[in-house]
Amino acid sequence: FYERLEELGARWERGMREAASGSAVPVTVNRVGSMVSLFFASGPVRDFASAAASDAELFKDFFWHMLSRGVYLAPSQYEAGFISLAHSEEEIDRTVEAAAEWFAGRRA
C-alpha cells in the first residue's frame, strides 16, 4: 500500500519537474509520499513566509489551465494535493501532460 503510494507520488514529482524544465517559470516541488505541492518560487518552500513569497497569480493561471483540462487541484497554492490508490499511472501522466502544456507557453 505505502510502496505504491510512494511510486505514484514519485511519478507525479518527476513528471512535474520534467514538465517545468526549460520554462522561464521558477518552480519548487514539495512532496512527502503521496502528499504533493507545486509552488512558483525559485527557492525552497519550507514555511509560510517562503510559501507566501511564491507567485500566486501564476498559480491562479496554472490552476485554471489544469481545471480546463479536467485536472482538479486545490484552488490555493497553500493547500497540498493528495494522491491515492484510486489514481492510476495514466491519470498521473495526463496531469503531467496538462502541466507540460501550460509550461510550454512559458519557455525561456
Side-chain angles (χ1 to χ4, degrees):
F1 175 85
Y2 292 110
E3 287 176 16
R4 181 66 178 146
L5 284 176
E6 177 62 29
E7 290 170 8
L8 292 172
R11 185 182 194 96
W12 184 93
E13 179 181 9
R14 227 179 6 262
M16 286 300 181
R17 289 185 190 281
E18 289 172 9
S21 68
S23 171
V25 176
V27 174
T28 296
V29 177
N30 286 0
R31 181 179 71 86
V32 176
S34 62
M35 186 170 67
V36 297
S37 296
L38 185 71
F39 296 94
F40 297 110
S42 57
V45 176
R46 296 189 178 129
D47 54 21
F48 179 75
S50 54
S54 61
D55 193 324
E57 287 302 310
L58 272 179
F59 183 86
K60 182 170 74 171
D61 189 64
F62 179 77
F63 169 82
W64 286 110
H65 169 82
M66 297 298 279
L67 190 61
S68 76
R69 299 303 187 272
V71 178
Y72 295 81
L73 303 174
S76 169
Q77 65 181 353
Y78 300 111
E79 298 178 60
F82 298 90
I83 298 168
S84 75
L85 292 182
H87 293 103
S88 67
E89 291 177 358
E90 292 78 20
E91 289 164 326
I92 302 247
D93 293 347
R94 281 198 324 257
T95 298
V96 169
E97 288 170 16
E101 287 177 11
W102 187 85
F103 283 111
R106 288 148 187 85
R107 294 289 175 213

